[in-house]
Amino acid sequence: MSIKKNQEMPLKGVEEEPVQLDEVLSKLGAFGKHQLITMCMLALVYATNSIYNVNYVFAVEDVNYRCKVPECESIVTSFAAPWHNLTSLGLESEGIKQCYRHPPLNRQCLAFNSSLTTPCTEWVYDVPNSFVAEFGLACNDWKATLVGTIHCFGSMVGQLLQGQISDRFGRKTAAVFAGTMGAVLGLAKSFSNSFWLYIVLEGLEAAIGDALSPMFMLSIEIVEKKRAVLYQMILLNFYTGGQIIMPLIAWAVPYWRNFLRVIYAPTLIILTYSFFLDESIRWLFSKGKKEQGIKLIEKIAKRNNVKIDKSLLNRLDYSDEETSNKLNDRKLLMKTFRSKIMMRRFLVCMVWWFTITLINYGMMISSVLINGNKYLNFALLIMMDIPANIFYWLALAKYKRKLPLIASFIVGGVFCVSQPFIPKGYAWLGLALFMAFEMLATFSYNIVYMYTSELFPTYTRNSMHSICSATGRIGSLLAPQTPLLMAYWSGLPALIFGLTSLVSGALTLFMPETARTQLPDTIREAETIGKTKHKHDPATETLKGT
């Protein structure tokens, strides 16, 4: 009998062997009916969010203006006037920005007193219904750029808020709240009757109306890890598509108020997501809500026409020791920061995010300053993101995370540092390097977004991702100011972009590889990434190329 008992013991151990959540997610599939429906809902958020981040480039467009001279104006005031060149001074080479004028010597305005200068009190704009004209921002150009700066600052604060809300209340709750508030505040901006009210609404929209962060977390947690990169590549193309469509909408609907209404109205539908969007299974388990998680798995299995063995669900092993000890979210976050390994990763992630936000926002702002049709210039520049998104999927499938990120930072940095030194006779080569760097910058941005989420544990993943993003967005605050550096040397912005890219590439050498590993659920698991080799498991072989 003792022999029989000894023979049964291994069998019992096999039956009770814990199952990883990724194994269950792989059985549910990545592109079943449930995942495709979820992807469609996520796609709307990705596409519209890309528009909301930079719509101020077109809503608050740069316009020319001249002084209004009551003695010389005709009954119907127009921007073009035959006497304008005689009274004007202080014009900028890039356009007409008149703040002072010479007074006329006669009623016919045939001559002006060039020895006397008076400040303008009224202005005539070349686009009378523009944002700058309606709010009277002539000779206050800092106010127009303040819109972009406030948006970036609000976004920085919002990343901190959204991360906490998402980790505490769930990805779905955070996304629905942020998406709905973004639509409401965006539409409210179109009815603003004062500049400072618009500024307040711009900041609030960026702070509490950005649904991308929780939606991104939801997207990487609803599928097995080996499918996450492909899933993201598809969604990123929707993000790029939104930015390509935006300038075309601005071209077709030039009046800024109508432009805002057209781009924000569609996201009111996000409010209905509270009925149709499902929560992240991984988040439910991390919060100790195992029963809800199992019910959701069974719901998805039924929708996808997949059979899941109940005994498999009962053996699901999901470490949530911290939540079982009833640590609150603040303590969990502080525990993450107390880890020296987590802190080192956080510091490198901040440099990554500073670099990618500085470069990407700087490049987009620079694109509308290039000679030609600003709408087409912007759309053509963003179209470079499509091959970058595809390249992102292919590169990460073969070369994991670390090597592609190092290569993109280093090669992109070399391209950008070289661009200012291209001889003027080879302008086409400078433009080619500019476009190549844009593609590599997007490639780096995509990897950093994914890489950061894989370095930290589930219960603080969105918080850590958001903090890295928020602190790094100092780069997006500085980006609107980079064109001013061209006054000292035209190649200075490109040189700065390139040097920061090279520094980020060097720091990436000290980061662990996260491909072919399970998403960590605890700090202990996160700390072992890149240190320990897991036992051979056929299931892990399917993670190859992720």
Side-chain angles (χ1 to χ4, degrees), residues 279-292:
E279 186 53 83
S280 162
I281 299 173
R282 197 176 292 274
W283 179 84
L284 289 172
F285 275 89
S286 74
K287 291 298 181 181
K289 301 180 180 182
K290 188 174 180 180
E291 290 185 9
Q292 293 183 38

Side-chain angles (χ1 to χ4, degrees), residues 197-354:
L197 174 60
Y198 188 94
I199 287 294
V200 170
L201 292 173
E202 184 76 33
L204 286 174
E205 183 226 327
I208 62 176
D210 187 347
L212 185 62
S213 180
M215 281 298 196
F216 168 77
M217 289 300 159
L218 180 61
S219 71
I220 67 170
E221 293 177 349
I222 64 172
V223 295
E224 57 178 323
K225 190 177 177 183
K226 74 171 186 176
R227 303 292 185 187
V229 175
L230 176 58
Y231 210 76
Q232 274 307 300
M233 187 271 290
I234 296 171
L235 290 172
L236 284 170
N237 279 314
F238 280 101
Y239 187 93
T240 301
Q243 287 191 328
I244 293 173
I245 293 173
M246 177 184 65
L248 304 181
I249 296 175
W251 197 2
V253 188
Y255 183 40
W256 68 275
R257 293 186 187 273
N258 292 338
F259 168 64
L260 293 178
R261 290 162 191 166
V262 169
I263 63 176
Y264 279 103
T267 47
L268 287 172
I269 198 174
I270 292 178
L271 182 61
T272 65
Y273 284 17
S274 56
F275 303 105
F276 304 110
L277 185 67
D278 290 308
E279 186 53 83
S280 162
I281 299 173
R282 197 176 292 274
W283 179 84
L284 289 172
F285 275 89
S286 74
K287 291 298 181 181
K289 301 180 180 182
K290 188 174 180 180
E291 290 185 9
Q292 293 183 38
I294 290 177
K295 286 183 180 179
L296 180 54
I297 290 172
E298 292 173 339
K299 173 186 174 181
I300 297 172
K302 183 178 180 181
R303 181 179 285 180
N304 288 357
N305 197 24
V306 174
K307 291 185 178 180
I308 300 290
D309 189 351
K310 287 192 175 181
S311 64
L312 187 71
L313 299 180
N314 292 331
R315 289 188 288 121
L316 267 173
D317 177 38
Y318 201 88
S319 302
D320 65 335
E321 57 190 42
E322 283 80 4
T323 53
S324 65
N325 291 331
K326 297 184 179 179
L327 289 175
N328 60 36
D329 295 284
R330 185 182 64 82
K331 290 181 179 179
L332 288 172
L333 191 59
M334 294 308 297
K335 186 175 181 179
T336 304
F337 276 118
R338 281 196 293 269
S339 166
K340 292 182 179 179
I341 295 175
M342 296 295 102
M343 179 57 74
R344 284 198 298 269
R345 292 180 189 176
F346 169 70
L347 293 175
V348 174
C349 285
M350 280 201 303
V351 178
W352 282 351
W353 280 91
F354 173 82

Side-chain angles (χ1 to χ4, degrees), residues 341-403:
I341 295 175
M342 296 295 102
M343 179 57 74
R344 284 198 298 269
R345 292 180 189 176
F346 169 70
L347 293 175
V348 174
C349 285
M350 280 201 303
V351 178
W352 282 351
W353 280 91
F354 173 82
T355 301
I356 61 176
T357 55
L358 173 68
I359 293 173
N360 279 275
Y361 279 86
M363 298 278 282
M364 282 188 285
I365 291 169
S366 298
S367 69
V368 298
L369 301 177
I370 300 173
N371 291 332
N373 187 304
K374 64 181 180 182
Y375 304 106
L376 292 179
N377 286 342
F378 189 95
L380 290 173
L381 179 70
I382 299 301
M383 284 182 70
M384 296 301 296
D385 291 0
I386 296 177
N389 294 337
I390 298 173
F391 183 44
Y392 155 78
W393 170 51
L394 296 175
L396 266 61
K398 188 171 184 178
Y399 301 107
K400 306 180 184 179
R401 309 283 190 268
K402 188 173 178 178
L403 182 59

Side-chain angles (χ1 to χ4, degrees), residues 96-127:
I96 301 174
K97 302 291 177 67
Q98 188 181 15
C99 297
Y100 298 90
R101 66 182 179 89
H102 300 309
L105 293 174
N106 52 57
R107 293 183 178 180
Q108 291 74 32
C109 296
L110 298 176
F112 292 82
N113 187 353
S114 58
S115 62
L116 184 62
T117 301
T118 59
C120 303
T121 56
E122 293 182 272
W123 288 267
V124 178
Y125 300 84
D126 65 340
V127 184

